[in-house]
Amino acid sequence: MSDMADRIRGNRLGDAAYAGAAANNNCDLSGGGTCTPVQMAAHDLFTWNAQVQALLPGGASNVARNGATLPPTYTITVQWDEVGQGTMTAQTIIQVPTF
């Protein structure tokens, strides 16, 4: 979750796009292209979701944004299946000023 929190902090202009759809926009260094902050946010979500799914059994992730708070609040959630325990959930909430 701290990885996604750092991505949001590093791309503040992506703002509400972090609560949107994930997309492989080839924004990483090997992609060679340039991306807008919104495209980068979608790519960050794509990359992060793939990592969560690859590393955690039954892994799922979500970012929700509450723009009614100042600064905006992001709730970052990760869920996975834990043997003998069922579905586990971890969540963190961050506030990130848009400048």
Side-chain angles (χ1 to χ4, degrees):
M1 290 183 298
S2 62
D3 178 43
M4 179 49 68
D6 289 343
R7 290 171 186 262
I8 294 169
R9 288 183 192 106
N11 180 23
R12 294 174 186 208
L13 295 178
D15 195 25
Y18 278 102
N24 184 0
N25 293 322
N26 293 315
C27 293
D28 48 17
L29 295 176
S30 63
T34 58
C35 292
T36 66
V38 169
Q39 291 170 324
M40 188 64 182
H43 187 78
D44 283 344
L45 287 168
F46 175 82
T47 302
W48 185 62
N49 288 338
Q51 290 172 345
V52 168
Q53 291 170 4
L55 296 173
L56 297 172
S61 55
N62 184 61
V63 176
R65 178 184 177 274
N66 180 352
T69 62
L70 292 177
T73 300
Y74 298 84
T75 303
I76 303 167
T77 306
V78 175
Q79 291 185 318
W80 68 95
D81 296 328
E82 189 68 43
V83 176
Q85 300 293 316
T87 302
M88 304 297 288
T89 302
Q91 190 173 75
T92 191
I93 299 171
I94 62 169
Q95 288 187 308
V96 181
T98 54
F99 292 105

